[in-house]
Amino acid sequence: MTQPKTVDFWFDPACPWAWMTSRWIIEAAKHRDLDVRWNVMSLFVLNEPKLDELPEGYREFLPATLPAVRVATAVAEQYDNATLGRLYTALGNRIHLRKERDADAYLPSALEAVGLPVELAAAAKTDEWDEALRASHQRGIGLVGTDVGTPVVAVENDEGVKVGLFGPVVTPAPQGEAAAKLWDGVYAVTTTPGFYELKRSRTDGPNFDNLVDDL
């Protein structure tokens, strides 16, 4: 029996495009033998060196991303990966599907939904887990460079070397065999030596219409 392919997925809960991609990889894993491993990265940490160069609105938005990534990191450090994945689902449902913006409300709600202590929400307001967050972030961004964002998807190539790409950026999240076909293509390009980029301008924003708010 062949071993499932391990897929490392780095996310910031605040990113709608990463959320869309995460729903795709979960769907693809139903049709291909994949073991998805969730990892936390941070839009704030990614943009920290160039904060002064960013548009004012985005610069003001970034600190609001820290509470969720801090709580997610605390969970990643203290619980198993499946629990982190469930928390990401609960956070995404609240942030992206329900459009909740108050971290003081959605963090304890998401924790409670997955059976975690609501007291973990206190991690949002401390730097206790920032070292672990930055280490996790660096493991992901180290595979792709700093001129991209979230999500980062990484797999092992035929030589057993982990390689990663930013993306895929897709909307809406493909379902069924379409999700599996996209995975086949992503795996092919990710593991092709010397492959770097395919890109076109986005003409649509994130479309969540085919996603279910189930946690």
Side-chain angles (χ1 to χ4, degrees):
M1 179 180 294
T2 59
Q3 293 294 315
K5 287 184 172 64
T6 298
V7 184
D8 276 293
F9 189 105
W10 276 266
F11 67 89
D12 183 318
C15 179
W17 296 104
W19 170 251
M20 196 83 63
T21 306
S22 72
R23 301 310 94 181
W24 156 72
I25 199 65
I26 289 173
E27 181 69 14
K30 299 175 183 177
H31 304 274
R32 297 291 187 267
D33 197 6
L34 308 179
D35 177 20
V36 181
R37 306 293 296 173
W38 303 104
N39 303 268
V40 185
M41 65 182 295
S42 168
L43 289 170
F44 181 87
V45 173
L46 180 68
N47 289 283
E48 197 173 27
K50 52 185 178 183
L51 285 177
D52 292 342
E53 304 168 15
L54 299 175
E56 183 178 357
Y58 191 61
R59 187 169 64 246
E60 293 176 350
F61 158 75
L62 287 172
T65 66
L66 280 174
V69 293
R70 282 172 164 168
V71 171
T73 303
V75 170
E77 292 295 302
Q78 297 177 88
Y79 295 86
D80 61 27
N81 199 257
T83 301
L84 176 61
R86 290 195 301 272
L87 178 65
Y88 182 29
T89 292
L91 287 170
N93 285 345
R94 285 153 180 77
I95 295 170
H96 303 301
L97 300 189
R98 303 179 196 175
K99 308 299 183 184
E100 296 180 11
R101 295 294 178 261
D102 183 2
D104 288 339
Y106 70 67
L107 285 172
S109 172
L111 289 164
E112 184 176 26
V114 298
L116 289 168
V118 295
E119 291 78 11
L120 283 167
K125 298 180 179 181
T126 174
D127 62 2
E128 178 181 0
W129 301 101
D130 283 11
E131 183 177 352
L133 166 61
R134 290 177 181 275
S136 177
H137 175 93
Q138 186 54 45
R139 285 193 295 271
I141 212 69
L143 296 171
V144 295
T146 58
D147 58 342
V148 296
T150 176
V152 171
V153 172
V155 297
E156 287 189 356
N157 62 18
D158 292 340
E159 288 72 45
V161 177
K162 186 179 291 186
V163 290
L165 285 177
F166 163 63
V169 175
V170 59
T171 188
Q175 303 291 307
E177 187 58 25
K181 287 175 64 178
L182 179 56
W183 163 256
D184 294 339
V186 169
Y187 181 77
V189 298
T190 304
T191 56
T192 297
F195 178 84
Y196 291 104
E197 185 174 12
L198 283 172
K199 190 171 184 179
R200 62 181 172 185
S201 298
R202 302 177 197 176
T203 57
D204 291 310
N207 181 342
F208 306 115
D209 289 350
N210 67 345
L211 300 180
V212 177
D213 186 347
D214 56 358
L215 191 61

mmCIF file with all atom_site columns, all heavy atoms in Angstrom, residues 45 85 189 207 209:
data_model
loop_
_atom_site.group_PDB
_atom_site.id
_atom_site.type_symbol
_atom_site.label_atom_id
_atom_site.label_alt_id
_atom_site.label_comp_id
_atom_site.label_asym_id
_atom_site.label_entity_id
_atom_site.label_seq_id
_atom_site.pdbx_PDB_ins_code
_atom_site.Cartn_x
_atom_site.Cartn_y
_atom_site.Cartn_z
_atom_site.occupancy
_atom_site.B_iso_or_equiv
_atom_site.pdbx_formal_charge
_atom_site.auth_seq_id
_atom_site.auth_comp_id
_atom_site.auth_asym_id
_atom_site.auth_atom_id
_atom_site.pdbx_PDB_model_num
ATOM 1  N N   . VAL A 1 45  ? 3.696   39.367 10.300  1.00 0.00 ? 45  VAL A N   1
ATOM 2  C CA  . VAL A 1 45  ? 5.131   39.070 10.290  1.00 0.00 ? 45  VAL A CA  1
ATOM 3  C C   . VAL A 1 45  ? 5.693   39.201 8.883   1.00 0.00 ? 45  VAL A C   1
ATOM 4  O O   . VAL A 1 45  ? 6.783   39.743 8.678   1.00 0.00 ? 45  VAL A O   1
ATOM 5  C CB  . VAL A 1 45  ? 5.390   37.667 10.859  1.00 0.00 ? 45  VAL A CB  1
ATOM 6  C CG1 . VAL A 1 45  ? 6.861   37.267 10.688  1.00 0.00 ? 45  VAL A CG1 1
ATOM 7  C CG2 . VAL A 1 45  ? 4.999   37.607 12.337  1.00 0.00 ? 45  VAL A CG2 1
ATOM 8  N N   . GLY A 1 85  ? -6.440  22.014 12.690  1.00 0.00 ? 85  GLY A N   1
ATOM 9  C CA  . GLY A 1 85  ? -7.242  22.091 11.474  1.00 0.00 ? 85  GLY A CA  1
ATOM 10 C C   . GLY A 1 85  ? -8.695  22.410 11.761  1.00 0.00 ? 85  GLY A C   1
ATOM 11 O O   . GLY A 1 85  ? -9.319  23.212 11.049  1.00 0.00 ? 85  GLY A O   1
ATOM 12 N N   . VAL A 1 189 ? 3.318   20.806 -10.977 1.00 0.00 ? 189 VAL A N   1
ATOM 13 C CA  . VAL A 1 189 ? 4.170   21.984 -11.133 1.00 0.00 ? 189 VAL A CA  1
ATOM 14 C C   . VAL A 1 189 ? 5.069   22.187 -9.919  1.00 0.00 ? 189 VAL A C   1
ATOM 15 O O   . VAL A 1 189 ? 6.224   22.625 -10.047 1.00 0.00 ? 189 VAL A O   1
ATOM 16 C CB  . VAL A 1 189 ? 3.341   23.260 -11.419 1.00 0.00 ? 189 VAL A CB  1
ATOM 17 C CG1 . VAL A 1 189 ? 2.575   23.123 -12.727 1.00 0.00 ? 189 VAL A CG1 1
ATOM 18 C CG2 . VAL A 1 189 ? 2.394   23.592 -10.274 1.00 0.00 ? 189 VAL A CG2 1
ATOM 19 N N   . ASN A 1 207 ? -15.176 34.081 -3.455  1.00 0.00 ? 207 ASN A N   1
ATOM 20 C CA  . ASN A 1 207 ? -16.575 33.655 -3.559  1.00 0.00 ? 207 ASN A CA  1
ATOM 21 C C   . ASN A 1 207 ? -16.774 32.449 -2.650  1.00 0.00 ? 207 ASN A C   1
ATOM 22 O O   . ASN A 1 207 ? -16.257 31.365 -2.926  1.00 0.00 ? 207 ASN A O   1
ATOM 23 C CB  . ASN A 1 207 ? -16.901 33.299 -5.016  1.00 0.00 ? 207 ASN A CB  1
ATOM 24 C CG  . ASN A 1 207 ? -18.344 32.860 -5.209  1.00 0.00 ? 207 ASN A CG  1
ATOM 25 O OD1 . ASN A 1 207 ? -19.039 32.503 -4.255  1.00 0.00 ? 207 ASN A OD1 1
ATOM 26 N ND2 . ASN A 1 207 ? -18.805 32.881 -6.442  1.00 0.00 ? 207 ASN A ND2 1
ATOM 27 N N   . ASP A 1 209 ? -19.768 31.102 -1.850  1.00 0.00 ? 209 ASP A N   1
ATOM 28 C CA  . ASP A 1 209 ? -21.152 30.651 -1.956  1.00 0.00 ? 209 ASP A CA  1
ATOM 29 C C   . ASP A 1 209 ? -21.309 29.129 -1.851  1.00 0.00 ? 209 ASP A C   1
ATOM 30 O O   . ASP A 1 209 ? -22.357 28.647 -1.427  1.00 0.00 ? 209 ASP A O   1
ATOM 31 C CB  . ASP A 1 209 ? -21.758 31.126 -3.280  1.00 0.00 ? 209 ASP A CB  1
ATOM 32 C CG  . ASP A 1 209 ? -21.999 32.626 -3.300  1.00 0.00 ? 209 ASP A CG  1
ATOM 33 O OD1 . ASP A 1 209 ? -21.884 33.263 -2.237  1.00 0.00 ? 209 ASP A OD1 1
ATOM 34 O OD2 . ASP A 1 209 ? -22.277 33.173 -4.393  1.00 0.00 ? 209 ASP A OD2 1
#
